Amino acid sequence: IQVIFRVFKEDHELYSTIKVFLENNLNASLTAKKLYIHRNTLQYRIDKFIDKTGIQLKDFYGAFTVFLACLLFEQSLDK
């Protein structure tokens, strides 16, 4: 979780991209439309997250862990 938090703190745009991607059930096309970015840009950001954390988002446990980290990260920002 600390690694994920560090990545999110370093790059807030990456945090919002990953969160929207997970909220859209890993649907890249829908996520790109909602974020108003090209699908290749989305894939670049996802790959960047995977490189920094080593967590695969296509794996259920990886996606679930990152989604929970997103929720915890949001709460830490509110405080």
Side-chain angles (χ1 to χ4, degrees):
I1 295 290
Q2 295 303 322
V3 173
I4 298 170
F5 273 26
R6 182 176 38 81
V7 170
F8 287 164
K9 285 179 185 175
E10 289 172 1
D11 191 349
H12 192 72
E13 185 177 70
L14 186 59
Y15 157 72
S16 56
T17 300
I18 297 301
K19 185 170 185 279
V20 172
F21 181 61
L22 293 170
E23 288 173 343
N24 287 295
N25 298 318
L26 310 179
N27 184 325
S29 297
L30 183 59
T31 302
K33 283 181 185 177
K34 286 195 176 184
L35 292 173
Y36 301 104
I37 60 175
H38 193 275
R39 198 170 182 280
N40 291 345
T41 303
L42 173 65
Q43 190 59 53
Y44 170 77
R45 291 180 188 173
I46 291 168
D47 291 342
K48 184 173 154 183
F49 176 81
I50 291 169
D51 288 343
K52 287 185 174 191
T53 62
I55 300 171
Q56 291 294 325
L57 295 175
K58 294 290 183 181
D59 174 56
F60 172 77
Y61 295 107
F64 183 70
T65 301
V66 174
F67 185 71
L68 288 178
C70 286
L71 297 177
L72 290 171
F73 184 71
E74 273 181 19
Q75 285 187 340
S76 72
L77 294 177
D78 293 337
K79 292 181 180 180

